[in-house]
Amino acid sequence: MAKELILGAFEVMAPTFLANSWRHPRARPEGYATLEAWQGLARQLDAGGFDFLFFAEALAYPMTPEGTVPEVVVREAVQFPVHDAPLVISGLAATVDRLGFVVTSSTTAERPYLLARRFSTLDHLTAGRIGWNIVTSDMQQALVKLLGDDEVTPHDARYARADEFVSLCLDLWERAWDDDAQPMDKGSGVFNDPGKVRWTSHHGDHFDLEGYFPIAPSPQRTPTLFQAGASRTGRDFAGRYAECIFTQERTVEKASALVQDLRSIAVSHGRRPDAVKVVNGLSVIVGDTEEEAAALRQELTDAPSREAMAALFMGWSGIDLTSFDPATTLEEIHTEVGQSLLAQYKDPTRTVGQVLDGLRETMGGFKVTGTPQSVAAQIERIAAETDVDGFLVEFTFGGTASYGDFIDRVMPLLREKGLLPAEPRRGTLREMLTGSGSAALPADHPGAHAVVA
């Protein structure tokens, strides 16, 4: 029997994502900064049966290791401008009553108390439909300049900070209040029972906190936890904390191996193998004929300049490909920024020049192109051969144009194949994605007991 897939829509609050869509005739980039445009997208996704809208929040933009911003970043809108996605969520939650929302926030740039407060508030305002995509940050060179840090934080040190960060947030969300701590009793004058609101005292390697957490328990208490790092350290972190893991593999062989590895890591942390749901990136182009779809895919591939793609790669990986001899390879190159991305391009048979020329085709997850029937069949095959739990359908042309054909022409075929539920999922985001029937963290999650490391 086919597994019913999870579906999210992958977006960034910017004119474009992979530097390849805002110039296309189908694109309407001018609405990226408006609530109205995002409300239209939320309504489309909600009605179409998507489970959630995912914002790949970016705090900065590509910058060279020397601290300069390539002109192409500004000229061609290479993740520039990029707006503050968490601020739009409450407006979208008021627009639709079923769709979930996932927002990326960095443990390198943020502070635990402020982030915990923000996500608790969003969990209240969305009725439990919020998720946190935990990252340790790309665009590290720019963050050093913008946040006043001394230098790029080493990769494994960022994950050590992230471990303490998440543990402290879990302590605030799960232990700071009893469920019945708010009697709101007018007769006795007791709004909050002091005996059921706990003082948090934390003194760790990275953070110190003394005080009460001033947000009462929200529907989920802890937002549904996503994670998107695929390095060895990132996988171990995900196996401990993540409930849903976002991956960007492009072959069924690598995706299948990664899914199995992530589940085995979860087991090593005392969790069930199905405690982590794996969703992979998926770019979809649909046409009336195979030829029409292929031509549209080629238009999308050809849109960004080589220079723009090199800048985007630099922002995500910390590596400026244009600074290397095109005839060399990336085998001996190391980065403290995007190790999982760089690893995807380390190949002794592929030169730097070939990597540069192929970025427009190889960045992102699976790419499926064809008629509705062909696309549905390709998705069915990928799901069966990789055992992924779902997909993040990637931003293509921008706004509602990215998803209309998929919703109207492909999703009905997926439902016929048993790959999507007959009726859209409902409940808190955790209930929708895990099928647990409970808004609370499962008992085998380390946050269920919130023991601060």
Side-chain angles (χ1 to χ4, degrees):
M1 183 177 177
K3 178 193 299 184
E4 290 185 351
L5 300 171
I6 297 164
L7 282 184
F10 185 86
E11 287 284 341
V12 62
M13 201 173 179
T16 187
F17 176 62
L18 285 178
N20 63 355
S21 63
W22 67 268
R23 298 175 63 190
H24 195 277
R26 289 194 182 187
R28 296 292 182 268
E30 58 276 4
Y32 79 94
T34 69
L35 179 59
E36 181 182 14
W38 293 108
Q39 286 175 319
L41 177 60
R43 292 188 187 100
Q44 180 194 42
L45 298 172
D46 186 79
F50 271 72
D51 296 302
F52 62 93
L53 169 57
F54 179 105
F55 281 102
E57 169 76 328
L59 292 174
Y61 38 80
M63 184 180 287
T64 68
E66 295 72 35
T68 62
V69 179
E71 183 184 280
V72 68
V73 170
V74 178
R75 185 181 66 245
E76 297 189 25
V78 182
Q79 205 161 309
F80 185 96
V82 59
H83 288 207
D84 197 346
L87 297 182
V88 79
I89 298 301
S90 60
L92 301 185
T95 303
V96 294
D97 63 3
R98 188 196 61 82
L99 187 71
F101 304 95
V102 181
V103 181
T104 300
S105 288
S106 164
T107 58
T108 304
E110 295 272 10
R111 300 285 291 180
Y113 171 78
L114 296 176
L115 182 141
R117 183 172 178 266
R118 184 183 316 128
F119 274 91
S120 283
T121 301
L122 286 172
D123 200 48
H124 279 291
L125 295 177
T126 62
R129 291 179 286 141
I130 193 70
W132 172 26
N133 181 43
I134 307 165
V135 299
T136 64
S137 277
D138 55 10
M139 308 295 173
Q140 284 285 312
Q141 287 91 351
L143 286 180
V144 168
K145 295 289 187 180
L146 296 170
L147 300 182
D149 294 340
D150 295 330
E151 59 184 358
V152 171
T153 307
H155 180 269
D156 286 359
R158 292 204 307 274
Y159 272 104
R161 173 188 168 101
D163 191 276
E164 185 180 338
F165 190 117
V166 175
S167 292
L168 179 51
C169 285
L170 287 167
D171 203 35
L172 295 174
W173 287 323
E174 297 289 328
R175 289 190 61 251
W177 292 71
D178 286 356
D179 287 337
D180 58 351
Q182 279 192 322
M184 302 185 196
D185 188 336
K186 292 183 179 181
S188 66
V190 177
F191 193 95
N192 304 303
D193 184 341
K196 297 182 178 181
V197 181
R198 292 180 176 79
W199 185 270
T200 298
S201 180
H202 174 89
H203 303 284
D205 293 333
H206 303 277
F207 306 106
D208 289 284
L209 188 153
E210 285 276 352
Y212 291 118
F213 184 55
I215 311 287
S218 61
Q220 295 183 116
R221 279 190 173 260
T222 295
T224 304
L225 300 175
F226 280 63
Q227 201 270 345
S231 67
R232 174 47 56 185
T233 308
R235 293 185 198 189
D236 187 71
F237 181 87
R240 181 177 182 189
Y241 290 115
E243 298 172 86
C244 195
I245 302 173
F246 171 39
T247 59
Q248 285 277 60
E249 296 298 337
R250 295 182 295 276
T251 69
V252 293
E253 295 79 13
K254 289 184 176 181
S256 177
L258 181 55
V259 169
Q260 293 180 45
D261 187 47
L262 289 168
R263 289 177 180 156
S264 68
I265 293 171
V267 170
S268 75
H269 285 289
R271 302 172 67 192
R272 305 181 320 279
D274 64 350
V276 294
K277 304 297 183 184
V278 183
V279 295
N280 201 88
L282 180 74
S283 174
V284 180
I285 295 293
V286 182
D288 291 333
T289 65
E290 295 291 334
E291 294 74 19
E292 178 187 311
L296 193 56
R297 171 68 72 185
Q298 194 61 51
E299 289 175 11
L300 199 63
T301 299
D302 292 343
S305 66
R306 189 174 189 255
E307 186 185 9
M309 293 306 296
L312 189 64
F313 185 90
M314 179 178 65
W316 290 350
S317 69
I319 301 297
D320 181 5
L321 293 174
T322 63
S323 68
F324 296 97
D325 180 344
T328 61
T329 73
L330 295 173
E331 282 295 285
E332 302 302 319
I333 304 302
H334 176 73
T335 181
E336 292 294 347
V337 180
Q339 292 188 359
S340 56
L341 177 65
L342 181 61
Q344 293 178 5
Y345 290 89
K346 283 193 173 186
D347 182 339
T349 67
R350 183 161 42 173
T351 67
V352 168
Q354 290 171 328
V355 170
L356 271 169
D357 289 336
L359 285 178
R360 293 180 295 186
E361 296 179 350
T362 57
M363 290 188 84
F366 287 107
K367 291 175 172 55
V368 295
T369 306
T371 63
Q373 292 76 15
S374 170
V375 165
Q378 291 175 65
I379 293 172
E380 181 179 33
R381 179 183 65 83
I382 293 169
E385 295 184 11
T386 63
D387 199 29
V388 295
D389 297 288
F391 296 100
L392 270 183
V393 181
E394 296 172 358
F395 180 117
T396 51
F397 305 108
T400 57
S402 292
Y403 309 100
D405 285 341
F406 181 74
I407 289 172
D408 296 337
R409 308 179 69 185
V410 178
M411 288 179 67
L413 299 178
L414 296 178
R415 288 192 186 95
E416 290 177 8
K417 294 174 178 289
L419 292 169
L420 293 178
E423 295 294 331
R425 298 178 176 96
R426 288 186 171 274
T428 64
L429 185 60
R430 179 167 290 114
E431 289 170 303
M432 286 197 285
L433 301 191
T434 67
S436 65
S438 171
L441 280 171
D444 63 354
H445 191 281
H449 304 290
V451 177
V452 180

